[in-house]
Amino acid sequence: MRAQEESKNIDNGVIGKLNIKVIGVGGAGCNIVYSLQKDSEISRIVDFLIIDSDESHLSVLQNINERLFVEYPLDEDELSADSVEKIKNYLKERLKRFNCVFLVTSPGGRTGYTVGLQVAKIVRELKIPLLISILILPFDNEKRRKDAHQKLTEFHRMSDVALTVDNDLLLKIAPHLLLNEAFGKINDIIAKLIKAFKNL
């Protein structure tokens, strides 16, 4: 899987002793994190957290204890001050012992972008040394793809490492695979990336 990566300087003092929290935001991010927690090796070395504005979606993702429902009006694209404070207080308590956050989200999704970017901002405010964003780009035939491209820059600016995974590449690289199998390849790549950072 080809990916577009942007890196900043990483504090060498952090590498080698990472305590990692993996946060999935929005539909795509939560689904990926749900798949990752099924990997027994990954589950032993990291903690998981999922955040979504779809409460019914959160309810079907079992075995992840840390979950946050964020509510905001369907006709608005901005989070209320109360919602921002709710996210900040939740993360402040649950990120105390972590020095690395993997943020998995899709800038093309309403929640993935709005809440995902807020999570990134809060991680920076909490002065967590390392933020690695894994950004899922929608398929070319999805209307939200163009907006997602424009929003990638904001995540890249916030992150120490930003990895963009383009769903369209699934169709080019593995046209013989079923869609679920292709998505599984993305999950495998993310799992390997997490393991690589943990083992540095």
Side-chain angles (χ1 to χ4, degrees), residues 145-160:
R145 181 180 172 91
K146 183 177 180 181
D147 286 341
H149 263 298
Q150 296 171 346
K151 294 169 179 174
L152 286 174
T153 303
E154 297 178 71
F155 284 94
H156 279 249
R157 188 173 61 249
M158 287 281 181
S159 308
D160 297 294

Side-chain angles (χ1 to χ4, degrees), residues 68-127:
L68 178 65
F69 168 62
V70 177
E71 185 175 11
Y72 57 101
L74 291 175
D75 59 347
E76 295 183 15
D77 290 326
E78 297 293 330
L79 290 169
S80 68
D82 287 344
S83 292
V84 171
E85 193 66 19
K86 179 180 180 180
I87 298 170
K88 184 178 295 187
N89 290 337
Y90 191 88
L91 292 180
K92 188 175 181 180
E93 286 301 312
R94 284 157 181 83
L95 294 180
K96 285 181 178 178
R97 66 182 183 87
F98 296 94
N99 56 7
C100 175
V101 168
F102 272 77
L103 171 61
V104 186
T105 190
S106 173
R110 182 169 175 267
T111 302
Y113 169 67
T114 306
V115 179
L117 195 61
Q118 190 62 53
V119 169
K121 289 177 180 178
I122 292 169
V123 169
R124 298 283 71 156
E125 289 175 11
L126 295 175
K127 300 189 185 304

